Amino acid sequence: MSYGIPSAEPSAQVPVCPRHPDRPSYVRCQRCGRPACPDCQRAAAVGFQCIDCVNETKRSTPEVRTVYGGVAAAGKPLVTFGIIAVCAVVYALQWLIPGQAVYEQFAYNNVFATPQYGAFEPWRMLTAAFLHSPDSLLHILLNMYTLWIFGQVLEPLLGRVRFLALYLLSAVGGSVGYLLLNPVLVPGQGLVGVVGASGAIFGLFGAMLLVQRQRGGDTRQLWVLIAINGVIGFLIPQIAWQAHLGGLITGALCAAVLAYTPRGPRQGFLQAAGLVAVLALLIAVSWVRISV
């Protein structure tokens, strides 16, 4: 008497997943009817679809875009949360790394924007926006809370890429505002740096103000908010109102580019060109300032 050895392969009559032929599957895709193993099943409105049909649907379905040309993304504002996470990590590093190593490497003051002082490091105009005063927990908390509030509105409205460009340019604009309106410090005085996301936050104020006005909304509360924060910058010492003003103007310029570019197939290209022009303007006025 002989005994058969069971085969490791499923029988020809047993349906198997096309992507994993060694896996029997009795669940079929609602779209194409092919078997799909648990790893290849994706929940659909009714039943399941296979991963191939899901990918094909994504390729053939045009992207939904916002009124300002950005790709509409449902769910949480990931860019906003990402910026908050980066600021939180950097803040933790400021506490964990001995001395002021992080502060000295990434803070900004006008000495580091002046080539004749031998310390031309313009990237600090951006990196300073991710640092906050380690002596004041309220500094980072207020900035991140405001970013969270405005990011939840502006990021879905503009799209993630456009929102990120707006934020980063506003951060640079804040440093440029400080460069233009504050005297250039001389070497030997120590690093009295400018840190914080306030310039970028004021950029969101300016962008929200212009977008709200362009959409026909009420802007009175925004004007009050900007006025209150502007006055605080003059009343409380060690607050760089120059950076607030620079960020506010830069954010408004970026929002004007995004809001008033004509809609159409070239909208994205024109918006990108406009944002590059804003960056070029910031570079030009900075260069003029440090050249005199």
Side-chain angles (χ1 to χ4, degrees), residues 46 60 78 98-99 119 185 256 259 261:
V46 178
S60 60
L78 298 182
L185 301 177
T261 300

Side-chain angles (χ1 to χ4, degrees), residues 86-104 106-107 128 130-135 139-140 195-196:
V86 171
C87 289
V89 169
V90 173
Y91 189 75
L93 291 176
Q94 289 180 256
W95 276 98
L96 295 175
I97 298 178
Q100 294 186 331
V102 177
Y103 182 86
E104 292 175 354
F106 299 107
F130 294 94
L131 275 67
H132 289 82
S133 173
D135 299 327
H139 185 207
I140 186 172
V195 296

Side-chain angles (χ1 to χ4, degrees), residues 6 18 41 46 48 51 82 101-102 105 117 132 136 152 166 190 201 203 206-208 229 261 271-272 285 291:
Q41 295 171 15
V46 178
F48 295 90
I51 190 172
V102 177
Q105 289 296 320
Y117 291 153
H132 289 82
S136 174
Q152 290 186 90
L166 163 69
I201 297 300
M208 191 69 198
N229 283 274
T261 300
Q271 288 175 333
V285 296
S291 299

